[in-house]
Amino acid sequence: MVQSVLLPIEGVVSVKVSPATKTIYVDHDINIVSASQLCHALDEGGFISTLITDAAVEITQQIGIPLDMTVESVFDIVKTDGKVGTDLKEEEVSSRLKSSLGEEGIIQVSLAVDGTSLTVEHNPYYVTATQIVHSLQNTIEGCTITINKDGGEGGRWAMKGGESEYIEPKRSKVGLLVILSGILCAISFLG
């Protein structure tokens, strides 16, 4: 039942359930769906869930990146009927985003006066520009939402005030020495 809730979600790669410990392990693309969104989906599916470990947050803590960093992403809004402007309200858009993506990720929402663009200040560790588009497309009818500027694109954080800092992407892997020491250790126990 848990897999039927989580596997259809875009970005979920695999789901493993341990009935003995009542723990769910989910392999997912953090650029598409966050751990808090997966918890929200489980809650909506009738399960009571608590996020125990968010590997994306743990990795950022291990490499010393501040978790309170925010970026600004800009989105274009085009009505599907070709007319200019929308009747959207900032408070309504902010509420919808926070409800679907989590309170910790959405900081501030600013809608252009003519309703053709939206600027969202968000924490890129919790919410990506792609997730914002998916959320808006699912909650706002009659409009097409596209990314004009992704503040968190490619690890280049567009800081408020125009500053920019490049953060080298980190990949985790098991090094050859670790593998060899494990093999040697296993061999020494056998001898």
Side-chain angles (χ1 to χ4, degrees):
M1 291 175 66
V2 168
Q3 289 181 340
S4 69
V5 171
L6 295 177
L7 283 175
I9 297 173
E10 184 180 359
V12 173
V13 177
S14 68
V15 176
K16 294 180 178 131
V17 180
S18 171
T21 61
K22 297 181 181 178
T23 305
I24 302 166
Y25 301 92
V26 182
D27 182 9
H28 61 98
D29 183 337
I30 62 171
N31 292 314
I32 298 173
V33 64
S34 68
S36 60
Q37 286 176 291
L38 296 173
C39 274
H40 183 70
L42 285 168
D43 292 341
E44 285 185 346
F47 299 94
I48 299 171
S49 62
T50 303
L51 180 60
I52 298 171
T53 303
D54 185 343
V57 173
E58 284 185 4
I59 288 170
T60 59
Q61 289 173 337
Q62 288 174 1
I63 59 177
I65 299 172
L67 292 177
D68 59 352
M69 185 175 292
T70 63
V71 298
E72 284 187 356
S73 295
V74 180
F75 305 89
D76 292 329
I77 304 170
V78 177
K79 290 186 77 168
T80 52
D81 62 8
K83 295 181 180 176
V84 176
T86 65
D87 56 353
L88 296 173
K89 305 285 185 250
E90 286 179 4
E91 301 81 28
E92 178 185 356
V93 174
S94 179
S95 175
R96 288 180 182 193
L97 287 174
K98 287 180 178 183
S99 173
S100 66
L101 299 174
E103 293 279 334
E104 69 277 355
I106 303 298
I107 310 305
Q108 185 174 349
V109 174
S110 302
L111 190 61
V113 175
D114 64 1
T116 60
S117 73
L118 176 72
T119 302
V120 179
E121 181 183 356
H122 59 100
N123 184 319
Y125 299 116
Y126 296 107
V127 177
T128 66
T130 303
Q131 291 172 323
I132 291 170
V133 167
H134 288 302
S135 175
L136 292 174
Q137 294 288 48
N138 291 332
T139 61
I140 299 173
E141 294 182 20
C143 294
T144 301
I145 316 293
T146 56
I147 300 171
N148 178 312
K149 176 189 152 221
D150 182 349
E153 181 179 31
R156 189 172 292 282
W157 307 123
M159 307 294 276
K160 287 168 47 175
E163 298 173 18
S164 238
E165 176 182 344
Y166 182 72
I167 299 172
E168 185 68 33
K170 301 285 183 186
R171 299 212 183 264
S172 62
K173 62 182 177 180
V174 177
L176 183 59
L177 292 176
V178 173
I179 293 170
L180 287 178
S181 70
I183 292 170
L184 295 174
C185 180
I187 291 170
S188 68
F189 285 127
L190 294 174

